[in-house]
Amino acid sequence: MKRGVWLAAMSVAWGYAVLQWGGVVVLDRKILLLGIGVAGLGWWLANRGSAAAVGGAAGWCWWLLPAYAALQLVPLPRAVLGLVSPARAEVSKALEGLGAGERWAPLSLAPGTGMNHFLLFAGCAAVFYLSYQMATEDRKWRWAVMLPPVLVSSLEGLLGLAQTMGGRDATGTYVNHDHYAGLLEMALPFAVAYPVARWRAVDTRREFPVRLALVMCAGWGAAAAILMGVLASLSRTGVVASLFAVLAMGIVAWWGAGWRSAGGVAMLAAGLAGCFVFLPSDALIARFAASAQDMTAEGRTELWGESLALVRRYPVFGCGLGGYEQAFLRHKVSVPMVRDDYAHNDYLQYLIELGAAGFAIGAVLMGSIAARAWRASSGSSDPGNRWLAIACIGALAAIGLHSFVDFNLYIPANAVLLAWISGVALATGAEAGAEGVADWRRVGLGKTIDVKPEKDRRRVWGRFGR
């Protein structure tokens, strides 16, 4: 009951942001963060004595990242600023000619916008911590933590399909179809994997329960609704990222099974290629056909090339979160009448705004989370935990690919969902590490033996993944 209250509170805050164009309006973002703050504070007051420690590199980086964002807002003497960020000190000095000189100035070029991004980082850290705690507390509760994103994304997928049938652009409750697809692609792997996890936990050689059949139909029905929403969005990268997520899940699931692994992955890849050929509409096919021309017409290739100068100009500590637009004005050449507040590449923009120091913190955090999930996908004896880890890897792969050509992680609802998934992924790996697995061997047709010397016992699972 208690877990349900905190999960519901977090879900309501996030769901509100999804309904309000992804939380891109300042007021809606504040309501989202307020809801997250209330849920986090309530959980902490009720469970502070039993909170699980976030170990490893992730245990440091999950709070270091928002702390680093706050550090960019701290005013520094110009002499110190000149040492740590000469380019920022140059901007501060140039303001003297306009009568707006600053003796003290922060690293951030846009402190007001930087404060908004810092608060979003803090909210994401709170969601990450909450989802980790709720997923760690009870193994049976773990899949339930991901139920709200799957339900909301299923409804969003149906809404996008209805919009297409009504002759409108399929963007769900979002403004942009790419960000709408970014939401759906992160939820798709969980809808695909949950029926598999339930199936693997039951010995279906003797019986096939009706309840299991209903669960599988509901799960894959939700996956179909989400995939139809992605296709209706006409987001090229969204479609590719969604199919790539399923392929990544298949590779992880079959990893280590020898030639059977290669055969299974090849069959999955062929099936996904068939989906890519036969499922898209004529409008989506036309968009793929014009991909190269559109990239040039939208100016993204020139934008990325010109943005690289900012990496050299603000190499270590960056220009501050939200400072990309101000910093880029000096280097912008192409499409001069277009305002560029985003680089349309999350990696490039975060590298510019956070610098190498902040970017390294984020990279270590996400690398640690992915490593934990990978360990759970190959070392967990619980099929539910294993397939949850596989779904997390699929979601991270999808948004990781999409972030190369868009700014999904600057959309509050999508950034919060990524933090949500990351907390659950870390929890799956924590359990796999706690199991104390000493040795895993592949026996025969996908069979595994789990050796636990501390209890001197073995479990032989009848099929791969069980």
Side-chain angles (χ1 to χ4, degrees):
M1 185 66 178
K2 289 181 180 180
R3 288 191 295 268
V5 169
W6 309 128
L7 179 61
M10 187 170 71
S11 301
V12 168
W14 174 75
Y16 171 82
V18 171
L19 291 175
Q20 298 297 320
W21 305 292
V24 294
V25 178
V26 174
L27 177 60
D28 296 327
R29 178 184 302 196
K30 290 180 179 178
I31 294 175
L32 164 66
L33 297 177
L34 177 62
I36 292 172
V38 170
L41 180 61
W43 183 94
W44 178 255
L45 292 175
N47 301 275
R48 60 185 181 274
S50 59
V54 184
W60 288 94
C61 293
W62 76 271
W63 63 265
L64 272 178
L65 197 57
Y68 179 87
L71 180 64
Q72 290 185 317
L73 302 175
V74 176
L76 301 174
R78 187 181 296 173
V80 176
L81 193 64
L83 293 175
V84 297
S85 181
R88 177 64 181 94
E90 179 183 337
V91 172
S92 179
K93 186 177 180 180
L95 292 175
E96 290 183 350
L98 301 176
E102 304 169 302
R103 298 185 61 184
W104 291 66
L107 287 167
S108 176
L109 284 172
T113 307
M115 176 59 74
N116 291 332
H117 286 287
F118 156 69
L119 293 175
L120 179 59
F121 270 37
C124 288
V127 169
F128 169 82
Y129 188 73
L130 280 174
S131 64
Y132 174 79
Q133 295 295 336
M134 287 187 287
T136 304
E137 189 174 0
D138 188 352
R139 176 188 298 183
K140 296 180 180 179
W141 181 258
R142 192 161 291 165
W143 272 102
V145 177
M146 290 309 305
L147 180 60
V150 172
L151 287 177
V152 171
S153 298
S154 302
L155 295 175
E156 285 282 338
L158 294 175
L159 176 59
L161 191 59
Q163 289 172 336
T164 297
M165 295 176 65
R168 299 167 53 194
D169 293 335
T171 59
T173 56
Y174 278 58
V175 176
N176 184 283
H177 65 112
D178 286 312
H179 303 152
Y180 167 66
L183 169 76
L184 300 183
E185 71 198 22
M186 284 190 280
L188 177 64
F190 298 95
V192 172
Y194 181 64
V196 180
R198 292 292 300 271
W199 174 51
R200 292 295 193 186
V202 177
D203 187 359
T204 55
R205 292 173 296 181
R206 297 182 179 180
E207 61 176 351
F208 201 100
V210 175
R211 184 176 179 180
L212 174 61
L214 293 176
V215 168
M216 294 178 70
C217 290
W220 284 334
I226 294 172
L227 181 59
M228 289 299 102
V230 174
L231 293 170
S233 72
L234 302 183
S235 171
R236 293 163 294 191
T237 312
V239 173
V240 174
S242 298
L243 299 180
F244 177 70
V246 178
L247 178 61
M249 292 169 62
I251 293 173
V252 174
W254 279 307
W255 185 266
W259 63 270
R260 296 179 183 86
S261 173
V265 171
M267 291 179 61
L268 177 62
L272 294 175
C275 293
F276 184 77
V277 172
F278 296 108
L279 289 183
S281 61
D282 293 340
L284 183 56
I285 293 173
R287 291 209 70 206
F288 273 108
S291 293
Q293 182 179 355
D294 288 349
M295 288 290 287
T296 303
E298 293 172 1
R300 291 195 183 181
T301 53
E302 292 85 356
L303 179 65
W304 296 335
E306 293 167 6
S307 297
L308 290 175
L310 296 179
V311 178
R312 297 186 293 269
R313 187 166 175 79
Y314 300 91
V316 181
F317 297 103
C319 63
L321 287 170
Y324 171 81
E325 182 180 3
Q326 287 78 0
F328 185 59
L329 287 174
R330 179 173 179 175
H331 303 274
K332 181 176 175 60
V333 177
S334 61
V335 198
M337 300 304 294
V338 175
R339 172 188 172 189
D340 293 309
D341 47 357
Y342 296 102
H344 290 272
N345 183 316
D346 282 327
Y347 303 104
L348 178 59
Q349 185 159 348
Y350 276 128
L351 181 59
I352 293 169
E353 294 185 346
L354 294 174
F359 190 85
I361 296 173
V364 171
L365 174 61
M366 297 310 298
S368 177
I369 292 168
R372 289 273 196 100
W374 174 267
R375 181 171 64 184
S377 70
S378 59
S380 178
S381 60
D382 177 16
N385 188 66
R386 179 172 184 266
W387 279 94
L388 180 57
I390 291 173
C392 290
I393 291 174
L396 295 177
I399 194 64
L401 177 62
H402 202 160
S403 290
F404 276 106
V405 294
D406 220 317
F407 53 98
N408 268 292
L409 300 186
Y410 282 82
I411 306 303
N414 290 8
V416 168
L417 180 56
L418 176 60
W420 192 324
I421 294 169
S422 298
V424 173
L426 195 69
T428 62
E431 178 180 298
E435 288 178 351
V437 177
D439 184 30
W440 283 82
R441 299 193 186 99
R442 304 292 180 187
V443 181
L445 184 57
K447 296 181 179 179
T448 60
I449 297 179
D450 177 13
V451 184
K452 295 188 177 181
E454 70 277 9
K455 294 185 179 180
D456 194 25
R457 63 174 180 166
R458 295 187 178 188
R459 291 180 190 162
V460 179
W461 298 93
R463 59 169 67 92
F464 178 69
R466 288 281 298 277

